[in-house]
Amino acid sequence: MWIVGFIPQIVISLILAVWFTDLRLKIKAQGFFKAVIYLPNVIMASAFAFLFYSLFSRGGAIYDLIKVPLLESVWGSRGVVGLINFILWYGNTTILLMAAIMGVDTSLYESAQIDGATSSQTFWKITIPLIKPIMSYVLVTSLIGGLQMYDVPALLTKDMGSPNGKLKTVVMIIQANKQGDIGKASALCVIIFIVSAIIGLALMFASADHDGKKKKKKRG
């Protein structure tokens, strides 16, 4: 469910961030567009879950249109959860990536244009390497959010994780056991913390500038 929501989120956010910060386009009313893009992030996830449940469940507007019970199939319900998470968080990711791109020295882009670099070459050779720390931050926080996912699948399935328990997340299991099996719930909390820490450290190490450090050692 996290993958279904995160992949389009990072792709669309990158496209929008590059588009809005492109010096050649000079898009007007950027403040208005930023507010519109970020607006879904201020709406409660529970409100989105109730809205999509009413749309995609039997008798809902989307169900009446496509005649497919998406919430009753595994991949259909996972797709709906991924869609909700995408709508909720792509605006926040776009704003972060825009801030990262705006922090890149514009003289680098001007030099690339003078040297005849194409837009794709500028994107892959200048933009992506220089915003790697922010992209790592987005990936880490998104992964942790995926591990802690609860409200959207819980509300869509009424805490059952249906169909066939395929939408049941770790936090849903914790909530189900917090009254009876407290030991199991506590152990799962510790596991989430350990996994989050390992993922965070691994991504920080992977995004570190090892080539730059090697060059400094050689010079020394």
Side-chain angles (χ1 to χ4, degrees):
M1 289 185 289
W2 172 79
I3 293 173
V4 171
F6 180 74
I7 291 178
Q9 173 187 325
I10 194 67
V11 172
I12 298 298
S13 296
L14 262 176
I15 293 172
L16 290 174
V18 172
W19 185 40
F20 280 119
T21 56
D22 195 319
L23 298 174
R24 292 170 295 183
L25 293 177
K26 297 180 180 179
I27 298 174
K28 297 180 180 179
Q30 288 196 23
F32 170 77
F33 288 113
K34 290 177 184 177
V36 171
I37 290 172
Y38 192 78
L39 187 61
N41 193 246
V42 303
I43 301 174
M44 292 180 62
S46 57
F48 266 104
F50 280 121
L51 173 63
F52 275 72
Y53 180 80
S54 63
L55 289 174
F56 286 93
S57 60
R58 291 184 180 273
I62 302 298
Y63 174 81
D64 291 339
L65 182 65
I66 63 177
K67 301 298 182 182
V68 177
L70 291 177
L71 295 181
E72 297 178 16
S73 66
V74 174
W75 285 106
S77 54
R78 286 177 175 173
V80 172
V81 173
L83 177 61
I84 294 173
N85 286 325
F86 162 74
I87 294 173
L88 283 171
W89 292 104
Y90 87 99
N92 181 69
T93 304
T94 301
I95 299 299
L96 288 172
L97 294 178
M98 284 179 65
I101 294 172
M102 290 172 67
V104 177
D105 190 351
T106 55
S107 62
L108 296 174
Y109 294 113
E110 293 170 356
S111 300
Q113 290 178 8
I114 294 172
D115 291 338
T118 62
S119 298
S120 61
Q121 288 174 331
T122 302
F123 176 76
W124 291 108
K125 299 295 184 180
I126 297 177
T127 304
I128 291 298
L130 292 178
I131 67 170
K132 189 187 294 184
I134 296 297
M135 291 191 67
S136 299
Y137 168 79
V138 170
L139 180 58
V140 169
T141 53
S142 182
L143 269 170
I144 294 173
L147 289 170
Q148 297 176 351
M149 190 184 301
Y150 171 72
D151 44 7
V152 173
L155 290 169
L156 280 177
T157 64
K158 299 180 180 179
D159 288 322
M160 299 300 295
S162 55
N164 303 323
K166 298 299 183 180
L167 263 68
K168 187 169 286 188
T169 64
V170 178
V171 179
M172 289 174 68
I173 298 173
I174 293 173
Q175 291 293 326
N177 289 278
K178 67 179 182 179
Q179 298 295 335
D181 196 345
I182 299 176
K184 182 178 180 180
S186 302
L188 287 172
C189 291
V190 174
I191 290 171
I192 289 178
F193 170 76
I194 293 172
V195 172
S196 300
I198 291 172
I199 291 173
L201 291 172
L203 288 173
M204 285 176 60
F205 178 79
S207 63
D209 189 5
H210 300 295
D211 293 333
K213 291 179 180 178
K214 289 179 181 178
K215 289 179 181 178
K216 288 181 181 179
K217 288 182 179 179
K218 288 180 180 178
R219 290 176 183 174

